[in-house]
Structure formats: C-alpha cells, structure tokens
Amino acid sequence: MTSSKLKPLLFIGLCTVLAGCAQSPVKPPLSGQPTATDSTAQQTAAVPARQLYRLAANYQAEPQHYHLLKAARQAITEQDYLLALAISENLKQSPYPLIQRQNKLVLLQAYLATEQQNSLLQLLDNTALSDIDPGDRTDFLWLSSQYLTQQQRYLAASRNLLQLTQQSDAVQRYPQHSDMLWQNLSALSDSQLETLRVGANQISSAWLNLALLSRRYIGQPQALQQAFADWQRRYPMLPQAQQLPDAVQQLLSLTPYQPQRIAVLLPLNGQFRQHAQAVQYGILAAAGNNSATGLVFIDSQLAADELQRQIEQAQAGFVIGPLLKDQVDTISRLADWRWPTLFLNSRDSNYQHKPEQFYFALSMEDEAAQMAALFQQKNYRRPVVISSANNISVRMQQRFAARWQELGNSAPEQHRFNSKEELEGLINRVLETDRSRERVKQISGLVSPKLEADPHSRLDIDAIYLIADPVQTRLFKPFVDVSVSQTAPRVPVYASSRSHSTGLDSTDLRDLNGLTFTEMPWMLGEQNSVALRSTYQQLFPEQDETLQRLFAMGYDAYNLVGSLRQQQQLPSTVFPGLTGQLRLESNGSIVRRLSWASYRNNRLLPIQEP
C-alpha cells in the first residue's frame, strides 16, 4: 500500500500539475538529452510509465520512492513530461538522500521539456555537483550547460562545462562539449575568466589559459602560434590541436590584417577637434607597442577625392575613421573605396554592407539591449523603464523595449521626465504611493480617532531601469528608497553608464547604494587597464569623461584591426577591449558588452552578472 503521507501528496500533486500544465508548452528534449540514464530504466522500457506509477502503490517507504523514480524516468523516455514533472516535483520532498540525488536529473529534464523557467533557475542555482547522483552528473551538466548557453548566462554555463571536462565519460557521450565550452569562454570578460580560476584544477586552468592567450595575441599570428606551442607543452593531457574546437583551430590558421601603414581620418580642425584629439591619443597609445605599423593622420573634412588621394599617397593598407556620422555615410557609399575600413560610427542600415567595411560606435543602445537580456535572465516580468526626455535616453528606452519584446515579453511600462522637478511626482505616480496616501486620507476622515498608516507602494513592479544623467540619478535613487513601503520588498534599480561619474563624493555614494549599472571597463579601472589608466591620469588629470571614453575608443580601434578578420570568420570570437567585450556581427557592426558595477556600502564595486 502507498504510505499514508505520500499517497495524498502524490494524488494532489499529480492532479494539480497535470491540470495546471495542460496548456503549458511541452517541447522535445534539448539536443543530446538522454531518455533513460540507467540499466533499470532500459530493462523496464516495455512497461509504460503510468503502469509503473500505479505499481509503486504496492511498496512502502524507500522502495516506493525508488519505484516512483523509475516511473518518472520511464515517463521521460516516453516523452510524458507532465507525468515526469508531477512525480519528480513530489519526490523533492523525499526523506531519502539517495532518491533526492537520483531525482535531480529527472527534475531538470521535466523542467526543460515543460519550460518551467522559475523552477529551472532555482534548481540550477541551488544544486551542487555533490547533490547529483554520480551516474547522472554528465547528463545533468550537459543539459544545464545547453540551457544556460541559450539564456546567455555564459559565466554559469562555463562553470558547468568546466566541471563536465572532469567527468570521465564526457568526451565519449558529448564530443561537442569542447566547442560549447569555447563558445562560452569566448563571451566572458577577462575578470570573469579570472573568477573561474578560483579552485580550478589543471584541466580547467588549461582551458582558461588558452582563452586568455587567444585574446592576448589575437592579430599576432607568430606570437599566437608560439604561445599555443608553449601551452601544449605545459598541458599535455589536453587534446592535440586537431582535436581542439574548430574555432581554436581556425584562430590559429587565419591570417589577420597586417597593414604596414594605417590612415586615420579624424576631424582634426573645427568644432570636433577635441573629440578627434582624444581618439588620436588613444590610437597613439595603442600603437606605442607596435613599431611595425606606421600611422598617418588625415583631416576627414577634406573632400572624398582628396581623402582618397592622400590615403593612396600614404600607401595605407587600412583605414580607421571617419568619426562623424555624415562623413561615415558619405565614404561607405563610395563605389570606388577600396581600403578595408573601420569606421568610428554606426552604419546606415538603408545601404548594403560591404565585406571589408566595419563599424565601431560607442552605441548607448547596446547597453539597453544588454540590460533587457539581464532582466530576462533574472526572470523579471514587470520592469518599469524611466528615462529623461532627451534624444539619447529616449533611443535607449526604445531599444530596451524592442529587445524586451524580442525576448518574448509584453511591452514594458515606460515613463519619461523633462526636469528634476518632475522626478518626485513621477516616482509617486509609478509606485502609486500618491493613491495610497489619498486612500489613507479618505479613510482617516471617516473614522475617529484619526487613522495612522504608512502609504503602500505597488507590489507588481520587480525592477526599475533608469536612463538619466548622474545628477538626476542621485536625486532619483533616494526618492525610490523612501517611496517603497517598509513592508514591501526592495525594488532593484538599474542604470546605464550615463548615470555614472568618476567624480562622486562620499555623500553621493551613500545616496546611490544598491544601484547597479553598465559601464565600460576603462571607466571602472579594471585590472587589465590599471597601468595604462595610471599613465593616462598623469598626462590628462582633468580630462572630461566624454573625452576619456573617446580615448578608450581610439585605443580599441587600433587594436581591433588585427582581430577583425578572425572575428569575421569566427562569430563567437570576442575582443576584450577598454570599451567592453567587442563582438562583430554579420553586418559589420561591432557590438559591445559592458561590465557591471554596483554601489554597495558607500563603495563602487565591480560585480559579476550572468
């Protein structure tokens, strides 16, 4: 007989889950998903899962749980995912550790097939490798890595895939795992790669070192080959070159752009002279380590035919610039422009992209799209986007909304303000504390003694994305903090790099506690730029933050030249720059993935987000 505790639990659980999931999407397993993971499941394959479930009633205690687990595994084999989900959900409460460990894989498979996003994230975030039965670990790590990669949670996926390399049967069962590992490692920042070093064994260290050296020597084929040869001698236990991921093999074989001279087109005179100089200083700083390539700077405001004549005369093999949008549009449309070119602005989507034309812009829209992806990964459902009413902020707001809907969500709630005076009223309207105060006031007039009550804020908002300048942000964050009622959960507030300033004092930092934002690594003083940053501040101690960003852009632009051909052929290749993790899209545009930082305990701290 079924135990008195488990029988009603299973009955209620089955009815609830089956009814609740009747309209839920059920999809085939992810690629490589196992259908049965032990010999017992294979031996009982002829017995239907639902019959196995009924037979479990003939047992008690742990044997009963074991036979229920067997039924759940068979349900996975039969693609009866709702039954598997109902049984495995109830077995989470099993008092038997062995059953709990063996149930983890079935839970994962059922969650994946029925798209239980919240449950998936909780399972993956709260399950250590030791919580999984040893015989299931390879399959669990592979399936979870596939899911995390699809969700663009590259750090978590990399961590799982590095654990997968330690499983003795991983290569045999999933030979494609090294390609997926490389794809994820390529998407990480240098600081995230360093995070993975903590507690890493020799095999994991080998993969991390390979990822780092491939970045350090990208665009330098001889140095890359030498570094790779040294890597192979140091880690003989890893596969030979021909067995490494295809992307690594191509990286080693592709010949990069190696121009002997680069022409740089900038507005060296007139209104944008300061901006041009900042980019120029960045290019010169980057070129200081490469005496083999010469530079010639040309005023981009010359007529197109004169620009071509001077580039020809300089015998340039590559062009960087122009910087101004109208000049970029003019040159990119020329039919006889024959030099490979890295334009320092965005492309005109109305014109067809040419193979050797690349576009590198400090696009604020990239930040908004990155924030939308983070909100999706954190499973937020009702974000509010608040922006100032200027053109850049509005474009960012629109890009966030577009990307959020592309990810399958409904349109986010959006608000705009024109001045700091509007902020407090806007926050009260958004959080609906003004309505709450009015209700308290009305009720207080009807009762005696007078009612004392705190106004309540909305509970359906799960995140706020603020797009505003530093002054507006320092006003906004305290308003939100005091407007959310003490009984309600804190609403996380996120911002863009427009909210960040390096000149904040201790009072500002206190007001911003809890704010998380995106920013280019250069402005956060990340480890890989500390020496350069120190030199820069000695030379330009008072430089405007806009010019600091343009310096970083120039530095990256020069270094990108050597990686563009690899990035063109290998879409997963990411260049780690001062302005962010730079990835080349098929239309020639370079997309930035910025770093994350947060104000905590009156300090600015770099943080790792998925």
Side-chain angles (χ1 to χ4, degrees):
M1 295 294 292
T2 307
S3 69
S4 58
K5 291 183 179 179
L6 189 61
K7 186 173 181 178
L9 180 65
L10 275 172
F11 178 77
I12 294 169
L14 275 169
C15 293
T16 303
V17 174
L18 290 174
C21 294
Q23 303 301 321
S24 299
V26 178
K27 60 180 183 179
L30 291 172
S31 172
Q33 179 163 329
T35 55
T37 57
D38 62 9
S39 59
T40 304
Q42 294 171 7
Q43 291 167 7
T44 59
V47 182
R50 290 178 182 261
Q51 184 177 342
L52 288 172
Y53 166 71
R54 289 191 294 271
L55 290 173
N58 297 324
Y59 300 87
Q60 291 184 354
E62 188 169 7
Q64 182 184 72
H65 289 217
Y66 169 75
H67 282 83
L68 286 167
L69 180 63
K70 199 160 58 169
R73 288 180 182 266
Q74 181 60 24
I76 292 291
T77 301
E78 297 172 5
Q79 298 185 18
D80 190 350
Y81 298 120
L82 298 181
L83 176 63
L85 177 63
I87 296 174
S88 57
E89 272 285 350
N90 282 282
L91 287 179
K92 286 197 308 186
Q93 310 303 322
S94 174
Y96 308 109
L98 180 60
I99 296 296
Q100 287 207 18
R101 288 196 297 271
Q102 292 182 341
N103 189 45
K104 296 292 186 184
L105 178 60
V106 183
L107 267 176
L108 176 62
Q109 292 168 315
Y111 287 161
L112 286 169
T114 56
E115 298 186 344
Q116 307 293 313
Q117 302 294 341
N118 285 338
S119 299
L120 264 171
L121 293 175
Q122 289 180 20
L123 176 67
L124 297 180
D125 290 343
N126 298 309
T127 302
L129 198 60
S130 58
D131 297 333
I132 307 164
D133 187 77
D136 292 338
R137 288 175 185 173
T138 297
D139 294 331
F140 189 98
L141 288 170
W142 174 250
L143 291 175
S144 61
S145 298
Q146 283 188 299
Y147 172 75
L148 292 167
T149 301
Q150 290 172 358
Q151 295 295 309
Q152 299 182 3
R153 297 185 63 176
Y154 301 121
L155 182 61
S158 296
R159 187 173 285 114
N160 279 15
L161 287 163
L162 287 172
Q163 289 181 315
L164 186 60
T165 63
Q166 302 168 35
Q167 302 299 309
S168 58
D169 59 343
V171 175
Q172 181 181 359
R173 292 177 66 85
Y174 302 112
Q176 66 272 48
H177 88 276
S178 61
D179 290 286
M180 185 180 288
L181 172 58
W182 188 256
Q183 175 189 345
N184 281 279
L185 291 177
S186 297
L188 299 182
S189 66
D190 287 359
S191 60
Q192 287 175 316
L193 288 174
E194 290 299 330
T195 297
L196 292 172
R197 285 189 181 280
V198 178
N201 66 5
Q202 193 173 24
I203 293 178
S204 295
S205 296
W207 280 106
L208 296 172
N209 285 336
L210 181 60
L212 287 168
L213 72 86
S214 72
R215 298 173 180 203
R216 187 170 297 123
Y217 300 110
I218 192 170
Q220 305 172 52
Q222 293 181 341
L224 181 60
Q225 289 283 359
Q226 181 59 52
F228 179 70
D230 293 341
W231 177 85
Q232 284 193 304
R233 283 192 292 270
R234 186 176 175 186
Y235 301 105
M237 82 293 292
L238 258 72
Q240 296 301 305
Q242 62 273 19
Q243 298 171 303
L244 286 170
D246 291 341
V248 177
Q249 297 178 46
Q250 292 183 53
L251 195 65
L252 292 166
S253 61
L254 282 171
T255 301
Y257 288 115
Q258 294 177 295
Q260 293 185 339
R261 183 162 292 190
I262 296 175
V264 183
L265 314 182
L266 293 170
L268 300 175
N269 297 290
Q271 179 182 356
F272 298 100
R273 182 171 176 272
Q274 267 194 316
H275 300 82
Q277 280 185 334
V279 175
Q280 184 179 25
Y281 294 151
I283 291 174
L284 289 170
N289 300 322
N290 184 7
S291 58
T293 303
L295 293 169
V296 56
F297 290 90
I298 302 172
D299 192 341
S300 61
Q301 298 177 102
L302 297 172
D305 56 348
E306 178 62 18
L307 284 175
Q308 289 176 291
R309 190 189 69 78
Q310 291 200 22
I311 295 170
E312 186 79 44
Q313 187 177 10
Q315 298 182 327
F318 197 97
V319 174
I320 296 176
L323 177 65
L324 304 182
K325 186 69 170 68
D326 59 335
Q327 295 171 1
V328 168
D329 291 343
T330 298
I331 289 176
S332 64
R333 296 170 193 167
L334 293 175
D336 59 345
W337 188 265
R338 61 183 182 81
W339 295 275
T341 304
L342 176 61
F343 296 106
L344 300 180
N345 214 309
S346 55
R347 63 182 291 271
D348 187 339
S349 58
N350 295 318
Y351 287 83
Q352 186 174 0
H353 165 241
K354 298 175 183 177
E356 291 198 305
Q357 292 188 354
F358 311 95
Y359 299 82
F360 177 33
L362 299 184
S363 169
M364 302 300 293
E365 285 92 336
D366 288 349
E367 293 191 49
Q370 182 177 339
M371 191 65 73
L374 177 73
F375 281 17
Q376 176 81 356
Q377 291 159 9
K378 286 184 171 289
N379 209 31
Y380 295 145
R381 287 292 172 262
R382 293 292 302 274
V384 173
V385 189
I386 299 175
S387 77
S388 55
N390 60 68
N391 288 336
I392 293 177
S393 297
V394 170
R395 288 205 314 270
M396 291 181 69
Q397 186 182 54
Q398 291 170 341
R399 179 63 183 125
F400 177 94
R403 182 59 182 148
W404 183 246
Q405 290 173 275
E406 288 169 8
L407 293 169
N409 303 289
S410 56
E413 185 176 329
Q414 302 177 61
H415 301 274
R416 297 173 189 168
F417 61 90
N418 288 288
S419 66
K420 64 182 182 181
E421 288 76 20
E422 293 183 17
L423 265 179
E424 185 172 6
L426 173 60
I427 294 167
N428 285 331
R429 290 197 306 276
V430 169
L431 297 177
E432 296 184 357
T433 50
D434 54 347
R435 296 185 187 180
S436 179
R437 288 192 184 94
E438 183 61 30
R439 287 193 295 270
V440 170
K441 182 178 178 182
Q442 291 173 354
I443 295 171
S444 184
L446 299 174
V447 298
S448 183
K450 296 299 183 184
L451 177 69
E452 292 186 9
D454 291 327
H456 289 275
S457 53
R458 288 171 61 182
L459 297 177
D460 60 328
I461 296 175
D462 48 18
I464 294 174
Y465 182 28
L466 174 67
I467 307 170
D469 65 32
V471 173
Q472 294 164 338
T473 303
R474 292 197 295 274
L475 289 168
F476 179 90
K477 184 62 171 61
F479 280 162
V480 172
D481 291 342
V482 299
S483 297
V484 175
S485 59
Q486 295 182 359
T487 58
R490 296 286 94 184
V491 179
V493 180
Y494 296 84
S496 71
S497 62
R498 291 180 59 77
S499 293
H500 177 232
S501 171
T502 57
L504 300 176
D505 60 27
S506 57
T507 302
D508 297 329
L509 293 174
R510 185 178 64 248
D511 289 342
L512 294 174
N513 275 333
L515 182 75
T516 299
F517 63 96
T518 46
E519 181 59 282
M520 63 171 61
W522 173 244
M523 300 303 291
L524 295 175
E526 290 191 5
Q527 191 62 39
N528 60 347
S529 65
V530 169
L532 178 63
R533 186 81 193 176
S534 176
T535 303
Y536 177 87
Q537 288 177 331
Q538 291 175 22
L539 294 173
F540 307 106
E542 306 271 333
Q543 193 157 60
D544 174 86
E545 289 185 11
T546 298
L547 300 182
Q548 293 182 44
R549 298 175 193 276
L550 288 171
F551 173 90
M553 183 187 193
Y555 192 94
D556 282 354
Y558 180 87
N559 287 321
L560 270 168
V561 172
S563 75
L564 287 171
R565 187 161 280 158
Q566 279 86 342
Q567 291 185 277
Q568 194 172 40
Q569 297 297 319
L570 305 169
S572 66
T573 302
V574 176
F575 179 85
L578 299 183
T579 58
Q581 300 293 111
L582 308 179
R583 180 177 52 81
L584 181 65
E585 293 193 326
S586 58
N587 64 6
S589 297
I590 291 167
V591 176
R592 296 186 302 146
R593 182 179 175 85
L594 281 77
S595 297
W596 295 95
S598 183
Y599 296 101
R600 296 179 181 177
N601 299 320
N602 304 336
R603 295 173 58 202
L604 176 61
L605 299 173
I607 61 172
Q608 301 294 346
E609 288 288 5

